[in-house]
């Protein structure tokens, strides 16, 4: 046992840090309210309600907005959130399921990063340092304990996977090429903005390795194949989202979401604050996160020193560290955000790029560590990097941990109304009066005064029925208490389809000439959604079959290969 621990001591150190810094605190202390706390608590709750009614992976949160429904899953992937949602369905509290899920995400981030870095560097100590700098970073601490930004927390898991796949294609033997499309898909369905940023950085990396691509056409073919698999695997999310965006104007694409929290220039950070271990938000400025701390700057400084001394260093160390510095600069007020507001407004916060400073900085540190020629300095440098990173993590998490401890001592339990929390309400049609929807619930309206008093509205979770007595006028319509998205269908008591339109976000059903009518409205989806789901499912099955066949082929090759000297001697 002791020999096994010594052999894998780097992995056990990582697990020990996880236990002390993540698992133990979150096992006994409730999360405090954070920036996105209500929104993600609401998502988990709504998923649990969908599951309770047999609606797995539904595109609508049917009970949100007092039953009017909200298509958040179409624009903000929630596939992975079905795990905490299922726990809630089984009887766990929403808050407890959220804590367990965050623990699982951070554990997955640490282990995935370690093994990905191990594949890329082929050394355990650089892999450990990379995982520590990435997992126990200031920005990830901000994401899970201050902001409760669950989308970005999930995306942290998949960035190393996609990067490993890309580097395997560009600089390796391409054995792990499939990690590129699957990792990218994981990032996309976790957090769309992070996926868009990652695609840009990956384009820069690909351009850096253009000479290698030109020399080896197989690498180009694998990148093209990866793109096809990525779009096929993520089709269930990408194409229904694009379809809804083209259907009508939402707060997401009418400019509202771009400035709802302020302009990019206003939300950028002064450069010196981007590397501060402490939160330097002032009373007159918008909130900003803690800086990245000293670990990554130290790594970049050592790399520059090695270059000045003309020590041979990995081009990957230079590339990753350069991208980290560029991302750091872009998160600051020195970057010309005013000129880019109309193009990049969807980013909302330039300091989101600290996620990529952390990512590329961590891998740059791992590569730099491997480049050190004086091996006696490697453990010292590794210890300094890890210590600085853990310090930054602890300084960032400390204020919220103090609040959590005080709440536990005093028996404070947060009782916030997060059931109908919409965040910035970006996925509502422009002009939707969501406050009125929440207040009125299942109340319909008609322009026909002759039948208005006879209107009766009932709901059966995902089915809304409106009935009336009398004959509707030739221009009559009913405003049904549902948020209008493409895919809703209305039928009258005769089974005939009724025309649906949208007015200030409401579903409007034509009832012209209908007598003693009963209108039933239900979300049935679209052809694009159905086809996209089939494509993604077939692609997923195809990937599993490919992996099984490849593993079988490798086993067969090993059995048929000539025995080595060691195998012959039995040693």
């Amino acid at each position: 046992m002791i020999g096994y621990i010594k052999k894998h001591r780097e992995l056990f150190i990582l697990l020990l840090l996880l236990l002390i810094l993540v698992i133990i605190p979150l096992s006994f202390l409730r999360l405090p309210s954070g920036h996105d706390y209500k929104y993600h608590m609401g998502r988990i709750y709504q998923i649990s309600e969908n599951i309770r009614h047999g609606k797995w992976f539904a595109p609508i949160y049917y009970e949100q907005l007092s039953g009017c429904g909200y298509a958040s899953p179409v624009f903000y992937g929630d596939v992975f959130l079905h795990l905490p949602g299922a726990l809630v369905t089984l009887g766990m509290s929403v808050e407890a399921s959220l804590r367990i899920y965050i623990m699982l995400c951070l554990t997955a981030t640490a282990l995935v990063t370690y093994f990905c870095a191990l594949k890329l560097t082929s050394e355990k100590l650089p892999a450990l340092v990379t995982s520590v700098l990435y997992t126990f970073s200031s920005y990830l601490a901000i994401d899970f304990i201050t902001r409760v930004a669950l989308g970005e927390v999930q995306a942290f898991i998949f960035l190393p996977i996609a990067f490993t796949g890309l580097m395997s294609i560009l600089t390796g033997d391409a054995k792990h090429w499939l990690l590129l499309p699957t990792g990218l898909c994981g990032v996309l369905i976790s957090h769309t903005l992070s996926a868009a940023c990652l695609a840009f950085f990956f384009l820069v990396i690909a351009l850096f390795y253009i000479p290698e691509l030109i020399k080896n056409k197989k690498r180009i073919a694998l990148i093209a194949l990866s793109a096809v698999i990525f779009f096929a695997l993520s089709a269930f999310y990408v194409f229904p989202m694009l379809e809804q965006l083209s259907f009508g104007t939402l707060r997401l694409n009418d400019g509202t979401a771009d400035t709802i929290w302020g302009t990019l220039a206003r939300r950028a950070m002064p450069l010196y604050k981007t590397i501060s271990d402490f939160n330097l938000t002032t009373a007159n400025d918008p909130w900003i996160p803690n800086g990245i701390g000293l670990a990554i700057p130290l790594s970049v400084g050592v790399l520059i020193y090695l270059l000045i001394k003309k020590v041979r260093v990995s081009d990957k160390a230079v590339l990753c560290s350069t991208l980290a510095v560029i991302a750091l600069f872009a998160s600051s007020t020195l970057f010309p955000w005013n000129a880019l507001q109309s193009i990049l407004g969807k980013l909302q916060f330039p300091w989101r790029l600290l996620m990529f400073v952390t990512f590329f900085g961590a891998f740059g540190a791992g590569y730099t560590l491997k480049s050190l020629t004086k091996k006696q300095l490697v453990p010292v440098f590794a210890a300094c990097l890890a210590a600085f990173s853990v310090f930054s993590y602890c300084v960032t998490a400390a204020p919220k941990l103090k609040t959590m401890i005080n709440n536990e001592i005093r028996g404070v339990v947060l009782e916030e109304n997060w059931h109908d929390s919409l965040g910035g309400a970006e996925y509502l049609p422009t002009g939707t009066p969501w406050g009125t929807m929440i207040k009125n619930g299942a109340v319909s309206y008609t322009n026909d005064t002759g039948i208005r008093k006879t209107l009766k509205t009932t709901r059966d979770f995902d089915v809304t029925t409106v009935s009336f007595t009398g004959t509707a006028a030739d221009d009559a319509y009913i405003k049904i208490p549902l948020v209008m998205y493409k895919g809703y269908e209305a039928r009258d008591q005769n089974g005939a389809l009724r025309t649906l339109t949208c007015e200030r976000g409401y579903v409007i059903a034509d009832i012209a000439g209908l007598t003693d009518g009963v209108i039933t409205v239900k979300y049935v989806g679209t052809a694009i959604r159905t086809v996209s789901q089939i494509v993604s499912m077939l692609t997923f099955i195809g990937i599993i079959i490919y992996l099984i066949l490849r593993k079988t082929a490798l086993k067969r090759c090993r059995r048929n290969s000539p025995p080595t000297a060691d195998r012959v001697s039995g040693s």
Side-chain angles (χ1 to χ4, degrees):
M1 181 64 180
I2 294 176
Y4 182 82
I5 292 175
K6 284 184 178 180
K7 182 179 179 181
H8 302 283
R9 59 182 176 274
E10 292 85 2
L11 185 57
F12 278 96
I13 290 171
L14 185 61
L15 293 174
L16 182 62
L17 287 172
L18 275 169
L19 180 66
I20 295 172
L21 298 176
V22 178
I23 306 300
I24 291 177
L26 291 183
S27 295
F28 298 100
L29 301 173
R30 295 181 181 88
L31 283 169
S33 181
H35 299 185
D36 296 342
Y37 176 82
K38 289 184 180 181
Y39 175 59
H40 292 301
M41 289 278 280
R43 291 175 76 199
I44 293 172
Y45 171 78
Q46 296 297 340
I47 289 170
S48 73
E49 287 301 301
N50 281 358
I51 293 174
R52 199 186 310 277
H53 289 83
K55 304 295 180 181
W56 288 81
F57 307 107
I60 306 285
Y61 292 153
Y62 293 106
E63 284 208 347
Q64 204 149 24
L65 292 171
S66 297
C68 295
Y70 188 45
S72 177
V74 174
F75 307 96
Y76 200 151
D78 67 353
V79 171
F80 303 122
L81 286 186
H82 278 68
L83 175 57
L87 293 177
V88 174
T89 305
L90 293 173
M92 185 177 288
S93 72
V94 178
E95 190 276 335
S97 74
L98 174 60
R99 275 188 289 133
I100 288 175
Y101 187 63
I102 288 175
M103 283 188 269
L104 290 174
C105 284
L106 266 66
T107 300
T109 297
L111 295 177
V112 163
T113 306
Y114 175 78
F115 287 110
C116 284
L118 187 58
K119 286 186 180 297
L120 293 173
T121 65
S122 303
E123 294 183 14
K124 292 181 179 180
L125 188 57
L128 173 63
V129 170
T130 301
S131 184
V132 170
L133 264 62
Y134 186 58
T135 307
F136 305 106
S137 59
S138 171
Y139 191 74
L140 185 49
I142 282 287
D143 263 355
F144 88 84
I145 200 169
T146 301
R147 296 184 61 226
V148 196
L150 212 50
E152 286 189 1
V153 170
Q154 293 174 143
F156 261 86
I157 302 170
F158 298 99
L159 295 183
I161 296 174
F163 181 67
T164 302
L166 179 65
M167 298 308 288
S168 176
I169 295 173
L170 295 176
T171 67
D173 56 13
K175 287 182 179 179
H176 307 295
W177 70 272
L178 197 52
L179 293 179
L180 174 58
T182 53
L184 276 174
C185 181
V187 176
L188 179 68
I189 62 178
S190 295
H191 194 246
T192 308
L193 281 176
S194 295
C197 293
L198 184 64
F200 169 77
F201 284 113
F202 276 9
L203 176 61
V204 174
I205 294 173
L207 292 174
F208 182 81
Y209 285 105
I210 279 290
E212 282 75 7
L213 290 173
I214 294 174
K215 291 177 186 176
N216 191 336
K217 299 297 189 293
K218 179 184 176 183
R219 299 186 193 278
I220 297 177
L222 283 176
I223 288 179
L225 180 59
S226 295
V228 172
I229 291 177
F230 163 71
F231 281 110
L233 190 60
S234 60
F236 76 98
Y237 175 69
V238 172
F239 296 106
M241 176 177 63
L242 294 176
E243 181 184 31
Q244 290 292 347
L245 287 173
S246 65
F247 175 64
T249 304
L250 307 174
R251 287 167 56 85
L252 179 65
N253 57 5
D254 69 358
T256 302
D258 296 6
T259 57
I260 191 171
W261 310 115
T263 63
L264 292 172
R266 177 136 174 82
R267 300 311 299 262
M269 300 174 67
L271 186 61
Y272 75 94
K273 294 184 181 182
T274 62
I275 59 173
S276 169
D277 272 317
F278 302 93
N279 191 300
L280 300 179
T281 302
T282 60
N284 297 324
D285 293 325
W287 182 90
I288 58 173
N290 296 49
I292 59 170
L294 298 178
I296 292 173
L298 172 62
S299 172
V300 173
V302 169
L303 176 63
I304 292 173
Y305 174 80
L306 293 176
L307 292 172
I308 291 173
K309 291 295 183 179
K310 297 183 179 180
V311 176
R312 186 177 180 181
V313 298
S314 165
D315 61 340
K316 302 180 188 72
V318 175
L319 176 61
C320 288
S321 299
T322 301
L323 290 175
V325 172
I326 291 172
L328 188 71
F329 172 73
S331 66
S332 76
T333 52
L334 298 179
F335 197 75
W337 286 114
N338 273 326
L340 298 171
Q341 177 64 44
S342 60
I343 302 172
L344 300 177
K346 296 289 185 295
L347 184 63
Q348 296 180 326
F349 314 117
W351 43 256
R352 285 189 194 276
L353 296 175
L354 293 181
M355 179 182 192
F356 295 93
V357 178
T358 301
F359 173 68
F360 288 113
F363 276 85
Y367 284 125
T368 300
L369 191 64
K370 186 180 179 181
S371 299
L372 289 178
T373 54
K374 294 183 178 180
K375 295 305 177 184
Q376 65 270 25
L377 294 179
V378 171
V380 177
F381 183 43
C384 289
L385 288 174
F388 278 129
S389 185
V390 171
F391 176 77
S392 299
Y393 173 92
C394 291
V395 167
T396 302
K400 286 294 184 179
L401 282 172
K402 181 180 178 181
T403 299
M404 292 161 69
I405 292 170
N406 287 337
N407 286 347
E408 204 65 34
I409 292 173
R410 298 172 184 173
V412 176
V413 178
L414 294 176
E415 295 182 357
E416 299 187 70
N417 178 22
W418 33 257
H419 299 81
D420 284 317
S421 177
L422 306 179
E426 294 97 329
Y427 315 128
L428 287 176
T430 300
T432 302
W434 69 87
T436 301
M437 285 183 165
I438 294 172
K439 179 181 177 182
N440 291 344
V443 176
S444 299
Y445 168 83
T446 179
N447 64 331
D448 188 339
T449 56
I451 62 172
R452 186 177 296 168
K453 291 184 178 180
T454 69
L455 283 182
K456 182 180 179 181
T457 307
T458 58
R459 292 197 200 277
D460 183 13
F461 192 64
D462 63 327
V463 179
T464 299
T465 303
V466 182
S467 61
F468 62 88
T469 303
T471 301
D474 291 339
D475 62 345
Y477 65 82
I478 295 177
K479 182 167 71 175
I480 297 172
L482 291 170
V483 179
M484 181 61 178
Y485 296 104
K486 188 171 185 178
Y488 271 110
E489 178 184 272
R491 293 184 180 273
D492 60 27
Q493 68 271 30
N494 302 314
L497 286 170
R498 310 300 295 195
T499 302
L500 292 181
T501 55
C502 180
E503 179 186 299
R504 295 189 67 211
Y506 281 96
V507 170
I508 304 297
D510 167 48
I511 57 169
L514 197 61
T515 300
D516 295 336
V518 178
I519 303 295
T520 302
V521 185
K522 183 177 181 178
Y523 187 87
V524 297
T526 66
I528 288 178
R529 177 175 174 79
T530 301
V531 171
S532 298
Q533 287 176 327
I534 293 171
V535 169
S536 293
M537 182 60 67
L538 291 176
T539 304
F540 179 75
I541 294 171
I543 289 173
I544 298 299
I545 293 172
Y546 167 77
L547 292 174
I548 293 172
L549 292 176
R550 190 176 73 169
K551 187 174 182 179
T552 303
L554 287 173
K555 285 182 178 179
R556 188 181 299 115
C557 287
R558 291 193 189 101
R559 284 198 303 266
N560 296 334
S561 62
T564 63
D566 287 343
R567 287 168 60 190
V568 170
S569 64
S571 58

